[in-house]
Amino acid sequence: MYRVVYQLPFNCIREIYMKSDELQAWLRWNWLKERIISYEKVL
Amino acid sequence: MLVKINSAAILGLEAYLVEVEVDSQKRLPGQSIVGLPDASVRESRDRVRAAIENSGFEFPPGYFTINLAPADTKKEGPLYDLPIALGMLLVSEQILKKNPDGTVVLGELSLDGQVRPINGILPICLSLGKKRKKVIVPKENADEAALVGGINVIPVNSLREAADYLAGNIKISPHKVDIDALFQSQPEYGIDFADVKGQGHVKRALEVAAAGGHNVLLVGPPGSGKTMLARRIPTIMPPLSLGEALEVTKLFSVTGLLHGKGALVTNRPFRSPHHTTSDIGIIGGGRIPRPGEVSLSHFGVLFLDEFPEFDRNVLEVLRQPLEDGKVTISRAHSSLTYPAQFMLVAAMNPCPCGRLYDFNQSCICTPAQVQRYWRKLSEPLLDRIDIQLEVPRLKAEEISAMPTGESSKEIRKRVMQARKLQSERFKGCQIYSNAHMNPKQIKEYCVLDKEAENILKSAIVHLKLSARAYDKVLKVARTIADLEGLKSIQAQHVAEATQYRSLDRKGGEF
């Protein structure tokens, strides 16, 4: 499981938790990747 | 003695024949106009008297009854001046009519006898063209009237010229215009997307919006370029077809916005009413119904700046035309329908002071003020806006840099390609763009592959997209795939489309 810090519009930051394969899918596409500020493995 | 002259009246965008009957009686001098004339028609008495005398004729003695038939519909506007004056000259036998009957006469008179232009010539000629083959019009309206093929347009400058023509003393050749040449000579917009500094993601979103006919809400602080961007949207939309141009011209003609703008509107309309505009101003109507801003934006862009500053009822009346693409105005005696297929572009600040979410400046609004500000936008209205965008303040280096990016011409090429795919897809349907797909059509045309479906599900869960966002994302993703010329919607299209739902994911911050 990964903790992802995600940048929403209007300077809102959200912490979301996602599985490895989900994160990999998000990182594959620029539109989602560029909004991910950081991520770290938590479990 | 009685004389009849044909003229016309407009009801909505249609016209009908009006018979101007002038009867003279040997009584004390006077005039009465009957047939439900409004004030401007009644005032024609004084204009007609002065115009007749100043044109070298004699104002005939006796009592004149002028009837505008059919007598049960209201007549308005000064277009009956010329037929009434000609009728009085004929009835007093100052001119003898040699030209054939059935000629339709339209025109306002000035006191010196000159013929002034009138509103609504194009819809009149389009409606009457099949029944009447000759129309006498003010010279300034001649190009507009001649857009309708198959009728002889006789332009006149003055009452004297019109009288001489009717009497057969002079010949005036029918006015002709080269519609194709007129249509080809489209004026440039004079603005370009390449003028805009930064805001690459907003430009991209507006390209998607123009390609799919999606409504857009731009949210950003003052000075971030929202208005500048919105004004450039028509420059990337496909050029109007001749049929569309004629329809837009009809609307401009009946509203009197055509004077000085040429005979044919060839550019897509961009209307930007002030936020104090009333609901009638936006939707149309009034004592004598007129098209509103939604109809004047037909086939173009309706830009509502300071969106929440509009009256709540003004915003709510937008819902029906956004859904139906037309506006029906009902009155006790009749019901009129005006077309209103427009792209809504709304712009607003994130809060009344505009500094909410700005790192550099602090917002001075209270949370209650911010909530009140956002509450003016109802859920059903936001539901009709497919693309919601954040337009951030430009960084210092972006402001000082030279504008970069693609020109409107290059973007327009892609938009036209996407529109072509949509017109093939929706052939035989009532809709023309992805934005207007109904749930059944979404199911049919927005099929996702496995990967795209997973991305969408994951985005809905993690970004807290609302249920209504689901269909919106699918429609926008369809347009993005069309821009790439692809038949299937792929994961990258869905990933991009999820970025255009800023307000769905706010999670209650406002």
Side-chain angles (χ1 to χ4, degrees), chain A residues 6 8-11 14 16-18 22 26 28-29 31-32 35, chain B residues 219 357 390 451 455 458 462-463 491-492 496 499-500 502 505:
Chain A
Y6 191 85
L8 288 166
F10 309 112
N11 295 331
R14 181 171 291 162
I16 48 183
Y17 291 85
M18 53 173 69
E22 245 182 325
W26 280 45
R28 209 172 303 140
W29 306 113
W31 288 96
L32 295 169
R35 291 253 176 201
Chain B
V219 186
Y357 306 116
E390 180 202 20
E451 194 179 9
I455 284 280
S458 161
H462 295 303
L463 302 180
Q492 73 263 28
E496 183 181 347
Q499 306 302 307
Y500 301 142
S502 297
R505 349 179 251 205

PDB file of all heavy atoms in Angstrom, chain A residues 6 8-11 14 16-18 22 26 28-29 31-32 35, chain B residues 219 357 390 451 455 458 462-463 491-492 496 499-500 502 505:
ATOM      1  N   TYR A   6      -1.309  14.148  -3.234  1.00  0.00           N
ATOM      2  CA  TYR A   6      -1.843  14.537  -4.546  1.00  0.00           C
ATOM      3  C   TYR A   6      -2.285  16.003  -4.533  1.00  0.00           C
ATOM      4  O   TYR A   6      -2.926  16.461  -3.587  1.00  0.00           O
ATOM      5  CB  TYR A   6      -3.032  13.622  -4.879  1.00  0.00           C
ATOM      6  CG  TYR A   6      -3.516  13.715  -6.303  1.00  0.00           C
ATOM      7  CD1 TYR A   6      -2.924  12.970  -7.321  1.00  0.00           C
ATOM      8  CD2 TYR A   6      -4.581  14.549  -6.643  1.00  0.00           C
ATOM      9  CE1 TYR A   6      -3.370  13.053  -8.626  1.00  0.00           C
ATOM     10  CE2 TYR A   6      -5.029  14.644  -7.951  1.00  0.00           C
ATOM     11  CZ  TYR A   6      -4.419  13.892  -8.944  1.00  0.00           C
ATOM     12  OH  TYR A   6      -4.866  13.982 -10.235  1.00  0.00           O
ATOM     13  N   LEU A   8      -4.559  18.810  -5.726  1.00  0.00           N
ATOM     14  CA  LEU A   8      -5.846  19.095  -6.378  1.00  0.00           C
ATOM     15  C   LEU A   8      -5.862  20.546  -6.853  1.00  0.00           C
ATOM     16  O   LEU A   8      -5.006  21.335  -6.430  1.00  0.00           O
ATOM     17  CB  LEU A   8      -6.977  18.881  -5.374  1.00  0.00           C
ATOM     18  CG  LEU A   8      -7.283  17.436  -5.003  1.00  0.00           C
ATOM     19  CD1 LEU A   8      -8.162  17.400  -3.776  1.00  0.00           C
ATOM     20  CD2 LEU A   8      -7.973  16.730  -6.144  1.00  0.00           C
ATOM     21  N   PRO A   9      -6.829  20.920  -7.673  1.00  0.00           N
ATOM     22  CA  PRO A   9      -6.922  22.339  -8.043  1.00  0.00           C
ATOM     23  C   PRO A   9      -7.160  23.205  -6.807  1.00  0.00           C
ATOM     24  O   PRO A   9      -7.501  22.683  -5.748  1.00  0.00           O
ATOM     25  CB  PRO A   9      -8.132  22.387  -8.968  1.00  0.00           C
ATOM     26  CG  PRO A   9      -8.304  21.010  -9.447  1.00  0.00           C
ATOM     27  CD  PRO A   9      -7.823  20.122  -8.364  1.00  0.00           C
ATOM     28  N   PHE A  10      -7.014  24.488  -6.960  1.00  0.00           N
ATOM     29  CA  PHE A  10      -7.205  25.471  -5.892  1.00  0.00           C
ATOM     30  C   PHE A  10      -6.257  25.219  -4.713  1.00  0.00           C
ATOM     31  O   PHE A  10      -6.622  25.392  -3.556  1.00  0.00           O
ATOM     32  CB  PHE A  10      -8.668  25.479  -5.397  1.00  0.00           C
ATOM     33  CG  PHE A  10      -9.656  25.614  -6.514  1.00  0.00           C
ATOM     34  CD1 PHE A  10     -10.498  24.568  -6.854  1.00  0.00           C
ATOM     35  CD2 PHE A  10      -9.725  26.786  -7.247  1.00  0.00           C
ATOM     36  CE1 PHE A  10     -11.392  24.684  -7.904  1.00  0.00           C
ATOM     37  CE2 PHE A  10     -10.632  26.907  -8.294  1.00  0.00           C
ATOM     38  CZ  PHE A  10     -11.463  25.858  -8.615  1.00  0.00           C
ATOM     39  N   ASN A  11      -5.048  24.764  -5.029  1.00  0.00           N
ATOM     40  CA  ASN A  11      -4.002  24.549  -4.025  1.00  0.00           C
ATOM     41  C   ASN A  11      -4.424  23.633  -2.876  1.00  0.00           C
ATOM     42  O   ASN A  11      -4.025  23.847  -1.744  1.00  0.00           O
ATOM     43  CB  ASN A  11      -3.530  25.898  -3.452  1.00  0.00           C
ATOM     44  CG  ASN A  11      -2.853  26.735  -4.521  1.00  0.00           C
ATOM     45  OD1 ASN A  11      -2.284  26.187  -5.444  1.00  0.00           O
ATOM     46  ND2 ASN A  11      -2.942  28.039  -4.396  1.00  0.00           N
ATOM     47  N   ARG A  14      -4.268  16.524  -1.076  1.00  0.00           N
ATOM     48  CA  ARG A  14      -5.010  15.403  -0.482  1.00  0.00           C
ATOM     49  C   ARG A  14      -4.074  14.202  -0.343  1.00  0.00           C
ATOM     50  O   ARG A  14      -3.253  13.954  -1.228  1.00  0.00           O
ATOM     51  CB  ARG A  14      -6.207  15.041  -1.363  1.00  0.00           C
ATOM     52  CG  ARG A  14      -7.023  13.900  -0.791  1.00  0.00           C
ATOM     53  CD  ARG A  14      -8.303  13.705  -1.552  1.00  0.00           C
ATOM     54  NE  ARG A  14      -9.230  14.818  -1.341  1.00  0.00           N
ATOM     55  CZ  ARG A  14     -10.264  15.083  -2.117  1.00  0.00           C
ATOM     56  NH1 ARG A  14     -10.502  14.350  -3.158  1.00  0.00           N
ATOM     57  NH2 ARG A  14     -11.047  16.095  -1.839  1.00  0.00           N
ATOM     58  N   ILE A  16      -3.881  10.309  -0.328  1.00  0.00           N
ATOM     59  CA  ILE A  16      -4.705   9.152  -0.696  1.00  0.00           C
ATOM     60  C   ILE A  16      -3.867   7.877  -0.588  1.00  0.00           C
ATOM     61  O   ILE A  16      -2.643   7.916  -0.750  1.00  0.00           O
ATOM     62  CB  ILE A  16      -5.330   9.300  -2.111  1.00  0.00           C
ATOM     63  CG1 ILE A  16      -4.301   9.726  -3.163  1.00  0.00           C
ATOM     64  CG2 ILE A  16      -6.453  10.271  -2.112  1.00  0.00           C
ATOM     65  CD1 ILE A  16      -4.887   9.961  -4.544  1.00  0.00           C
ATOM     66  N   TYR A  17      -4.537   6.786  -0.311  1.00  0.00           N
ATOM     67  CA  TYR A  17      -3.844   5.497  -0.160  1.00  0.00           C
ATOM     68  C   TYR A  17      -4.264   4.592  -1.303  1.00  0.00           C
ATOM     69  O   TYR A  17      -5.454   4.433  -1.571  1.00  0.00           O
ATOM     70  CB  TYR A  17      -4.204   4.869   1.190  1.00  0.00           C
ATOM     71  CG  TYR A  17      -3.601   5.654   2.348  1.00  0.00           C
ATOM     72  CD1 TYR A  17      -4.250   6.761   2.868  1.00  0.00           C
ATOM     73  CD2 TYR A  17      -2.365   5.289   2.882  1.00  0.00           C
ATOM     74  CE1 TYR A  17      -3.690   7.497   3.896  1.00  0.00           C
ATOM     75  CE2 TYR A  17      -1.796   6.022   3.917  1.00  0.00           C
ATOM     76  CZ  TYR A  17      -2.463   7.125   4.427  1.00  0.00           C
ATOM     77  OH  TYR A  17      -1.892   7.855   5.434  1.00  0.00           O
ATOM     78  N   MET A  18      -3.264   4.041  -1.984  1.00  0.00           N
ATOM     79  CA  MET A  18      -3.601   3.158  -3.102  1.00  0.00           C
ATOM     80  C   MET A  18      -2.631   1.991  -3.205  1.00  0.00           C
ATOM     81  O   MET A  18      -1.501   2.061  -2.705  1.00  0.00           O
ATOM     82  CB  MET A  18      -3.694   3.935  -4.414  1.00  0.00           C
ATOM     83  CG  MET A  18      -2.514   4.791  -4.769  1.00  0.00           C
ATOM     84  SD  MET A  18      -2.643   5.493  -6.424  1.00  0.00           S
ATOM     85  CE  MET A  18      -3.954   6.647  -6.250  1.00  0.00           C
ATOM     86  N   GLU A  22      -2.315   0.146  -8.728  1.00  0.00           N
ATOM     87  CA  GLU A  22      -3.079   1.365  -9.004  1.00  0.00           C
ATOM     88  C   GLU A  22      -2.127   2.554  -9.190  1.00  0.00           C
ATOM     89  O   GLU A  22      -2.252   3.340 -10.118  1.00  0.00           O
ATOM     90  CB  GLU A  22      -4.000   1.667  -7.809  1.00  0.00           C
ATOM     91  CG  GLU A  22      -5.470   1.576  -8.130  1.00  0.00           C
ATOM     92  CD  GLU A  22      -6.338   1.925  -6.928  1.00  0.00           C
ATOM     93  OE1 GLU A  22      -5.944   1.610  -5.784  1.00  0.00           O
ATOM     94  OE2 GLU A  22      -7.388   2.515  -7.146  1.00  0.00           O
ATOM     95  N   TRP A  26      -1.446   5.071 -12.388  1.00  0.00           N
ATOM     96  CA  TRP A  26      -1.524   6.539 -12.331  1.00  0.00           C
ATOM     97  C   TRP A  26      -0.217   7.151 -12.842  1.00  0.00           C
ATOM     98  O   TRP A  26      -0.235   8.173 -13.516  1.00  0.00           O
ATOM     99  CB  TRP A  26      -1.795   7.016 -10.892  1.00  0.00           C
ATOM    100  CG  TRP A  26      -3.235   6.907 -10.505  1.00  0.00           C
ATOM    101  CD1 TRP A  26      -4.053   5.854 -10.735  1.00  0.00           C
ATOM    102  CD2 TRP A  26      -4.017   7.893  -9.836  1.00  0.00           C
ATOM    103  NE1 TRP A  26      -5.309   6.098 -10.235  1.00  0.00           N
ATOM    104  CE2 TRP A  26      -5.324   7.351  -9.678  1.00  0.00           C
ATOM    105  CE3 TRP A  26      -3.777   9.157  -9.342  1.00  0.00           C
ATOM    106  CZ2 TRP A  26      -6.362   8.047  -9.052  1.00  0.00           C
ATOM    107  CZ3 TRP A  26      -4.807   9.852  -8.710  1.00  0.00           C
ATOM    108  CH2 TRP A  26      -6.094   9.300  -8.573  1.00  0.00           C
ATOM    109  N   ARG A  28       1.637   6.084 -15.029  1.00  0.00           N
ATOM    110  CA  ARG A  28       1.818   5.858 -16.466  1.00  0.00           C
ATOM    111  C   ARG A  28       1.258   7.039 -17.284  1.00  0.00           C
ATOM    112  O   ARG A  28       1.645   7.248 -18.412  1.00  0.00           O
ATOM    113  CB  ARG A  28       1.116   4.558 -16.860  1.00  0.00           C
ATOM    114  CG  ARG A  28       1.786   3.876 -18.048  1.00  0.00           C
ATOM    115  CD  ARG A  28       1.208   2.504 -18.300  1.00  0.00           C
ATOM    116  NE  ARG A  28       1.301   1.642 -17.132  1.00  0.00           N
ATOM    117  CZ  ARG A  28       0.344   0.797 -16.744  1.00  0.00           C
ATOM    118  NH1 ARG A  28      -0.773   0.705 -17.420  1.00  0.00           N
ATOM    119  NH2 ARG A  28       0.495   0.036 -15.687  1.00  0.00           N
ATOM    120  N   TRP A  29       0.330   7.753 -16.719  1.00  0.00           N
ATOM    121  CA  TRP A  29      -0.330   8.793 -17.515  1.00  0.00           C
ATOM    122  C   TRP A  29       0.010  10.176 -16.979  1.00  0.00           C
ATOM    123  O   TRP A  29      -0.221  10.483 -15.828  1.00  0.00           O
ATOM    124  CB  TRP A  29      -1.856   8.598 -17.507  1.00  0.00           C
ATOM    125  CG  TRP A  29      -2.218   7.223 -17.945  1.00  0.00           C
ATOM    126  CD1 TRP A  29      -2.785   6.248 -17.208  1.00  0.00           C
ATOM    127  CD2 TRP A  29      -1.956   6.648 -19.226  1.00  0.00           C
ATOM    128  NE1 TRP A  29      -2.923   5.105 -17.937  1.00  0.00           N
ATOM    129  CE2 TRP A  29      -2.416   5.317 -19.186  1.00  0.00           C
ATOM    130  CE3 TRP A  29      -1.377   7.112 -20.412  1.00  0.00           C
ATOM    131  CZ2 TRP A  29      -2.325   4.452 -20.272  1.00  0.00           C
ATOM    132  CZ3 TRP A  29      -1.285   6.242 -21.492  1.00  0.00           C
ATOM    133  CH2 TRP A  29      -1.768   4.951 -21.403  1.00  0.00           C
ATOM    134  N   TRP A  31      -1.170  13.138 -17.163  1.00  0.00           N
ATOM    135  CA  TRP A  31      -2.175  14.010 -16.574  1.00  0.00           C
ATOM    136  C   TRP A  31      -2.357  13.745 -15.086  1.00  0.00           C
ATOM    137  O   TRP A  31      -2.674  14.633 -14.320  1.00  0.00           O
ATOM    138  CB  TRP A  31      -3.513  13.854 -17.303  1.00  0.00           C
ATOM    139  CG  TRP A  31      -3.486  14.459 -18.649  1.00  0.00           C
ATOM    140  CD1 TRP A  31      -3.236  13.818 -19.810  1.00  0.00           C
ATOM    141  CD2 TRP A  31      -3.677  15.836 -18.977  1.00  0.00           C
ATOM    142  NE1 TRP A  31      -3.262  14.702 -20.852  1.00  0.00           N
ATOM    143  CE2 TRP A  31      -3.538  15.953 -20.370  1.00  0.00           C
ATOM    144  CE3 TRP A  31      -3.958  16.972 -18.234  1.00  0.00           C
ATOM    145  CZ2 TRP A  31      -3.655  17.154 -21.035  1.00  0.00           C
ATOM    146  CZ3 TRP A  31      -4.090  18.176 -18.896  1.00  0.00           C
ATOM    147  CH2 TRP A  31      -3.934  18.262 -20.289  1.00  0.00           C
ATOM    148  N   LEU A  32      -2.157  12.454 -14.683  1.00  0.00           N
ATOM    149  CA  LEU A  32      -2.288  12.116 -13.271  1.00  0.00           C
ATOM    150  C   LEU A  32      -0.935  12.242 -12.579  1.00  0.00           C
ATOM    151  O   LEU A  32      -0.838  12.719 -11.441  1.00  0.00           O
ATOM    152  CB  LEU A  32      -2.841  10.696 -13.126  1.00  0.00           C
ATOM    153  CG  LEU A  32      -4.271  10.492 -13.636  1.00  0.00           C
ATOM    154  CD1 LEU A  32      -4.621   9.012 -13.693  1.00  0.00           C
ATOM    155  CD2 LEU A  32      -5.266  11.220 -12.744  1.00  0.00           C
ATOM    156  N   ARG A  35       0.354  15.556 -11.127  1.00  0.00           N
ATOM    157  CA  ARG A  35      -0.351  16.052  -9.935  1.00  0.00           C
ATOM    158  C   ARG A  35       0.136  15.343  -8.662  1.00  0.00           C
ATOM    159  O   ARG A  35      -0.231  15.729  -7.563  1.00  0.00           O
ATOM    160  CB  ARG A  35      -1.852  15.826 -10.085  1.00  0.00           C
ATOM    161  CG  ARG A  35      -2.482  16.695 -11.150  1.00  0.00           C
ATOM    162  CD  ARG A  35      -3.292  17.766 -10.505  1.00  0.00           C
ATOM    163  NE  ARG A  35      -3.858  18.699 -11.464  1.00  0.00           N
ATOM    164  CZ  ARG A  35      -4.264  19.909 -11.145  1.00  0.00           C
ATOM    165  NH1 ARG A  35      -4.124  20.325  -9.908  1.00  0.00           N
ATOM    166  NH2 ARG A  35      -4.774  20.707 -12.033  1.00  0.00           N
TER     167      ARG A  35
ATOM    168  N   VAL B 219     -12.498  29.180 -13.163  1.00  0.00           N
ATOM    169  CA  VAL B 219     -12.435  29.742 -11.813  1.00  0.00           C
ATOM    170  C   VAL B 219     -11.001  30.205 -11.553  1.00  0.00           C
ATOM    171  O   VAL B 219     -10.060  29.414 -11.647  1.00  0.00           O
ATOM    172  CB  VAL B 219     -12.831  28.686 -10.752  1.00  0.00           C
ATOM    173  CG1 VAL B 219     -12.901  29.334  -9.376  1.00  0.00           C
ATOM    174  CG2 VAL B 219     -14.157  28.033 -11.095  1.00  0.00           C
ATOM    175  N   TYR B 357      -7.216  30.726  -1.941  1.00  0.00           N
ATOM    176  CA  TYR B 357      -6.254  29.759  -2.494  1.00  0.00           C
ATOM    177  C   TYR B 357      -5.072  30.425  -3.183  1.00  0.00           C
ATOM    178  O   TYR B 357      -4.379  29.808  -3.978  1.00  0.00           O
ATOM    179  CB  TYR B 357      -6.924  28.768  -3.454  1.00  0.00           C
ATOM    180  CG  TYR B 357      -8.089  28.082  -2.833  1.00  0.00           C
ATOM    181  CD1 TYR B 357      -9.360  28.262  -3.327  1.00  0.00           C
ATOM    182  CD2 TYR B 357      -7.922  27.278  -1.714  1.00  0.00           C
ATOM    183  CE1 TYR B 357     -10.446  27.656  -2.730  1.00  0.00           C
ATOM    184  CE2 TYR B 357      -9.002  26.672  -1.101  1.00  0.00           C
ATOM    185  CZ  TYR B 357     -10.253  26.865  -1.615  1.00  0.00           C
ATOM    186  OH  TYR B 357     -11.306  26.267  -1.016  1.00  0.00           O
ATOM    187  N   GLU B 390      -9.584  25.344 -13.117  1.00  0.00           N
ATOM    188  CA  GLU B 390      -8.912  26.331 -12.285  1.00  0.00           C
ATOM    189  C   GLU B 390      -7.974  27.132 -13.198  1.00  0.00           C
ATOM    190  O   GLU B 390      -7.240  26.553 -14.002  1.00  0.00           O
ATOM    191  CB  GLU B 390      -8.086  25.607 -11.214  1.00  0.00           C
ATOM    192  CG  GLU B 390      -7.355  26.521 -10.304  1.00  0.00           C
ATOM    193  CD  GLU B 390      -6.172  25.821  -9.643  1.00  0.00           C
ATOM    194  OE1 GLU B 390      -5.712  24.787 -10.160  1.00  0.00           O
ATOM    195  OE2 GLU B 390      -5.709  26.333  -8.626  1.00  0.00           O
ATOM    196  N   GLU B 451      -8.268  -1.002 -19.184  1.00  0.00           N
ATOM    197  CA  GLU B 451      -7.337  -0.099 -18.492  1.00  0.00           C
ATOM    198  C   GLU B 451      -7.997   1.263 -18.214  1.00  0.00           C
ATOM    199  O   GLU B 451      -7.869   1.813 -17.115  1.00  0.00           O
ATOM    200  CB  GLU B 451      -6.092   0.080 -19.356  1.00  0.00           C
ATOM    201  CG  GLU B 451      -4.941   0.703 -18.610  1.00  0.00           C
ATOM    202  CD  GLU B 451      -3.697   0.855 -19.466  1.00  0.00           C
ATOM    203  OE1 GLU B 451      -3.781   0.632 -20.695  1.00  0.00           O
ATOM    204  OE2 GLU B 451      -2.659   1.216 -18.902  1.00  0.00           O
ATOM    205  N   ILE B 455      -8.797   3.083 -14.545  1.00  0.00           N
ATOM    206  CA  ILE B 455      -8.346   4.442 -14.200  1.00  0.00           C
ATOM    207  C   ILE B 455      -9.541   5.283 -13.751  1.00  0.00           C
ATOM    208  O   ILE B 455      -9.472   5.998 -12.762  1.00  0.00           O
ATOM    209  CB  ILE B 455      -7.654   5.112 -15.427  1.00  0.00           C
ATOM    210  CG1 ILE B 455      -6.250   4.542 -15.624  1.00  0.00           C
ATOM    211  CG2 ILE B 455      -7.605   6.626 -15.308  1.00  0.00           C
ATOM    212  CD1 ILE B 455      -5.188   5.121 -14.712  1.00  0.00           C
ATOM    213  N   SER B 458     -10.757   4.157 -10.310  1.00  0.00           N
ATOM    214  CA  SER B 458      -9.778   4.566  -9.306  1.00  0.00           C
ATOM    215  C   SER B 458      -9.856   6.077  -9.048  1.00  0.00           C
ATOM    216  O   SER B 458      -9.784   6.533  -7.911  1.00  0.00           O
ATOM    217  CB  SER B 458      -8.415   4.125  -9.828  1.00  0.00           C
ATOM    218  OG  SER B 458      -7.403   4.787  -9.227  1.00  0.00           O
ATOM    219  N   HIS B 462     -10.601   7.739  -5.422  1.00  0.00           N
ATOM    220  CA  HIS B 462      -9.556   8.489  -4.723  1.00  0.00           C
ATOM    221  C   HIS B 462      -9.722  10.004  -4.819  1.00  0.00           C
ATOM    222  O   HIS B 462      -9.346  10.727  -3.915  1.00  0.00           O
ATOM    223  CB  HIS B 462      -8.176   8.092  -5.249  1.00  0.00           C
ATOM    224  CG  HIS B 462      -7.847   6.665  -4.949  1.00  0.00           C
ATOM    225  ND1 HIS B 462      -7.849   6.158  -3.674  1.00  0.00           N
ATOM    226  CD2 HIS B 462      -7.549   5.629  -5.766  1.00  0.00           C
ATOM    227  CE1 HIS B 462      -7.549   4.876  -3.713  1.00  0.00           C
ATOM    228  NE2 HIS B 462      -7.360   4.526  -4.987  1.00  0.00           N
ATOM    229  N   LEU B 463     -10.233  10.471  -5.930  1.00  0.00           N
ATOM    230  CA  LEU B 463     -10.400  11.930  -6.079  1.00  0.00           C
ATOM    231  C   LEU B 463     -11.794  12.375  -5.652  1.00  0.00           C
ATOM    232  O   LEU B 463     -12.142  13.545  -5.792  1.00  0.00           O
ATOM    233  CB  LEU B 463     -10.130  12.349  -7.529  1.00  0.00           C
ATOM    234  CG  LEU B 463      -8.745  11.994  -8.067  1.00  0.00           C
ATOM    235  CD1 LEU B 463      -8.588  12.454  -9.501  1.00  0.00           C
ATOM    236  CD2 LEU B 463      -7.662  12.600  -7.205  1.00  0.00           C
ATOM    237  N   ALA B 491      -6.999   4.958 -21.865  1.00  0.00           N
ATOM    238  CA  ALA B 491      -6.749   5.390 -20.485  1.00  0.00           C
ATOM    239  C   ALA B 491      -6.265   6.834 -20.401  1.00  0.00           C
ATOM    240  O   ALA B 491      -6.668   7.584 -19.512  1.00  0.00           O
ATOM    241  CB  ALA B 491      -5.748   4.452 -19.830  1.00  0.00           C
ATOM    242  N   GLN B 492      -5.385   7.225 -21.353  1.00  0.00           N
ATOM    243  CA  GLN B 492      -4.847   8.602 -21.266  1.00  0.00           C
ATOM    244  C   GLN B 492      -5.948   9.642 -21.481  1.00  0.00           C
ATOM    245  O   GLN B 492      -5.878  10.748 -20.935  1.00  0.00           O
ATOM    246  CB  GLN B 492      -3.672   8.841 -22.234  1.00  0.00           C
ATOM    247  CG  GLN B 492      -4.015   8.958 -23.692  1.00  0.00           C
ATOM    248  CD  GLN B 492      -3.808   7.644 -24.417  1.00  0.00           C
ATOM    249  OE1 GLN B 492      -3.913   6.573 -23.813  1.00  0.00           O
ATOM    250  NE2 GLN B 492      -3.519   7.702 -25.704  1.00  0.00           N
ATOM    251  N   GLU B 496      -6.915  12.454 -18.656  1.00  0.00           N
ATOM    252  CA  GLU B 496      -7.000  13.900 -18.931  1.00  0.00           C
ATOM    253  C   GLU B 496      -8.385  14.436 -18.556  1.00  0.00           C
ATOM    254  O   GLU B 496      -8.507  15.490 -17.930  1.00  0.00           O
ATOM    255  CB  GLU B 496      -6.702  14.192 -20.403  1.00  0.00           C
ATOM    256  CG  GLU B 496      -6.722  15.684 -20.702  1.00  0.00           C
ATOM    257  CD  GLU B 496      -6.450  16.039 -22.155  1.00  0.00           C
ATOM    258  OE1 GLU B 496      -5.996  15.158 -22.926  1.00  0.00           O
ATOM    259  OE2 GLU B 496      -6.683  17.204 -22.513  1.00  0.00           O
ATOM    260  N   GLN B 499      -9.196  15.561 -15.090  1.00  0.00           N
ATOM    261  CA  GLN B 499      -8.598  16.829 -14.646  1.00  0.00           C
ATOM    262  C   GLN B 499      -9.553  18.006 -14.827  1.00  0.00           C
ATOM    263  O   GLN B 499      -9.320  19.081 -14.301  1.00  0.00           O
ATOM    264  CB  GLN B 499      -7.313  17.135 -15.438  1.00  0.00           C
ATOM    265  CG  GLN B 499      -6.294  16.028 -15.429  1.00  0.00           C
ATOM    266  CD  GLN B 499      -5.874  15.663 -14.023  1.00  0.00           C
ATOM    267  OE1 GLN B 499      -5.484  16.518 -13.255  1.00  0.00           O
ATOM    268  NE2 GLN B 499      -5.993  14.391 -13.682  1.00  0.00           N
ATOM    269  N   TYR B 500     -10.601  17.792 -15.635  1.00  0.00           N
ATOM    270  CA  TYR B 500     -11.500  18.903 -15.948  1.00  0.00           C
ATOM    271  C   TYR B 500     -12.741  18.921 -15.063  1.00  0.00           C
ATOM    272  O   TYR B 500     -13.759  19.494 -15.423  1.00  0.00           O
ATOM    273  CB  TYR B 500     -11.904  18.832 -17.430  1.00  0.00           C
ATOM    274  CG  TYR B 500     -10.724  18.895 -18.372  1.00  0.00           C
ATOM    275  CD1 TYR B 500     -10.684  18.127 -19.530  1.00  0.00           C
ATOM    276  CD2 TYR B 500      -9.636  19.714 -18.104  1.00  0.00           C
ATOM    277  CE1 TYR B 500      -9.597  18.180 -20.390  1.00  0.00           C
ATOM    278  CE2 TYR B 500      -8.541  19.764 -18.954  1.00  0.00           C
ATOM    279  CZ  TYR B 500      -8.533  18.993 -20.094  1.00  0.00           C
ATOM    280  OH  TYR B 500      -7.447  19.051 -20.932  1.00  0.00           O
ATOM    281  N   SER B 502     -12.814  20.051 -11.664  1.00  0.00           N
ATOM    282  CA  SER B 502     -12.225  20.662 -10.466  1.00  0.00           C
ATOM    283  C   SER B 502     -13.192  20.745  -9.301  1.00  0.00           C
ATOM    284  O   SER B 502     -12.818  20.560  -8.160  1.00  0.00           O
ATOM    285  CB  SER B 502     -11.739  22.068 -10.788  1.00  0.00           C
ATOM    286  OG  SER B 502     -10.742  22.011 -11.741  1.00  0.00           O
ATOM    287  N   ARG B 505     -14.216  17.540  -7.121  1.00  0.00           N
ATOM    288  CA  ARG B 505     -13.281  16.923  -6.182  1.00  0.00           C
ATOM    289  C   ARG B 505     -12.898  17.855  -5.059  1.00  0.00           C
ATOM    290  O   ARG B 505     -11.934  17.637  -4.368  1.00  0.00           O
ATOM    291  CB  ARG B 505     -11.990  16.508  -6.883  1.00  0.00           C
ATOM    292  CG  ARG B 505     -12.014  16.545  -8.350  1.00  0.00           C
ATOM    293  CD  ARG B 505     -10.709  16.153  -8.895  1.00  0.00           C
ATOM    294  NE  ARG B 505     -10.029  17.276  -9.465  1.00  0.00           N
ATOM    295  CZ  ARG B 505      -9.119  17.148 -10.402  1.00  0.00           C
ATOM    296  NH1 ARG B 505      -8.772  15.978 -10.815  1.00  0.00           N
ATOM    297  NH2 ARG B 505      -8.535  18.202 -10.888  1.00  0.00           N
TER     298      ARG B 505
END
